[in-house]
Amino acid sequence: MGQTRLPSTDLPPQVIVARPIAMPVAAAPARPLELATISRPTAFLGLGLVIGLLAAMYAISIVLGLGWHIASGGTELSSHAFGPLIAIDKWLNAAAALVTLLLFARYQRLHLREFGIHADQARRQAAWALAALGGVYGALIVSAICTLALVALLPGLQDDLSGRLKLLSLLSSGRFVSTIVLLVPVAIHEEIIFRGLLLLFLHRLGCRWSLAVLLSTLVFASLHVSQGWLAIPQVFMVGLALSLFF
């Protein structure tokens, strides 16, 4: 604590008066999901990073498909090879998404809790995950009813529905372990990209939460158009449920 003499005639010269010193105030902890510590230009760059990551994942799928085509001599992809090949693709996507998140957080000096990841609240997050799973099943039931109604009204969508059912049959091998091996990386990379990064960057750029949820879910659903047009409304409802619980 610093000390100084007061130039006053009311006090004797030997009186020492303490001078107050301002104490540093700890900064308030960052609010989760706000990304308030990064600038909007940085959030815009992060949005470009997400687009680049999606393009890289698409390139990975193409390379794997071409690799299989060359290795198999141009034969059609069998149901036995389809599942493992998709699993490899999704695990590579999950690794790329996780590395991107960690590098961005490290470079911007962000804690993972700002992306909704709370290692010290594992039980609470597990409870929310179970609730989100229930919401997903509810969305799937509603979307299945809507899909059947659309096919009944528009018989031309029957081929699209048949193609989607065939794809789902190829993905589901009937084995629990194989299903988990496939679903885990899908959940990791989709949650990181569309909810953990895209949704938060859109909000940081000025979108209200409702608009950010709508836009990120629309992007999420539109990227599943390769599974057929009927996949878009189904995936949209699932993505909307996940975003709301996120």
Side-chain angles (χ1 to χ4, degrees), residues 79-80 83 167-180 182-183:
S79 58
H80 297 288
L167 174 64
L168 293 176
S169 66
L170 289 174
L171 291 176
S172 58
S173 62
R175 298 178 180 178
F176 178 77
V177 174
S178 300
T179 303
I180 294 299
L182 178 62
L183 292 182

Side-chain angles (χ1 to χ4, degrees), residues 56-225:
M57 291 180 177
Y58 184 70
I60 290 174
S61 300
I62 293 177
V63 170
L64 286 176
L66 289 176
W68 168 263
H69 184 76
I70 295 172
S72 63
T75 59
E76 185 179 355
L77 188 63
S78 65
S79 58
H80 297 288
F82 186 78
L85 191 64
I86 291 296
I88 293 173
D89 177 52
K90 298 308 178 183
W91 276 108
L92 290 175
N93 291 347
L98 185 59
V99 169
T100 300
L101 172 64
L102 293 176
L103 289 178
F104 183 84
R106 181 181 177 86
Y107 182 75
Q108 295 297 328
R109 298 181 180 179
L110 299 172
H111 197 280
L112 290 181
R113 68 170 58 95
E114 296 185 58
F115 295 93
I117 301 174
H118 301 266
D120 56 340
Q121 299 180 11
R123 292 183 179 180
R124 181 179 178 183
Q125 292 207 301
W128 274 107
L130 291 176
L133 185 61
V136 168
Y137 275 109
L140 286 174
I141 293 173
V142 173
S143 65
I145 294 174
C146 294
T147 298
L148 293 176
L150 281 174
V151 172
L153 293 173
L154 303 171
L157 293 176
Q158 183 63 48
D159 292 339
D160 192 86
L161 178 61
S162 300
R164 180 155 176 76
L165 292 176
K166 181 180 180 181
L167 174 64
L168 293 176
S169 66
L170 289 174
L171 291 176
S172 58
S173 62
R175 298 178 180 178
F176 178 77
V177 174
S178 300
T179 303
I180 294 299
V181 168
L182 178 62
L183 292 182
V184 167
V186 170
I188 291 174
H189 90 265
E190 289 186 350
E191 289 306 300
I192 289 177
I193 294 174
F194 297 103
R195 261 69 69 181
L197 294 175
L198 181 59
L199 175 61
L200 302 191
F201 287 145
L202 288 172
H203 178 63
R204 183 66 187 92
L205 288 171
C207 295
R208 294 185 177 184
W209 278 118
S210 56
L211 180 59
V213 166
L214 179 62
L215 291 176
S216 61
T217 306
L218 282 173
V219 173
F220 174 60
S222 63
L223 291 178
H224 288 76
V225 68

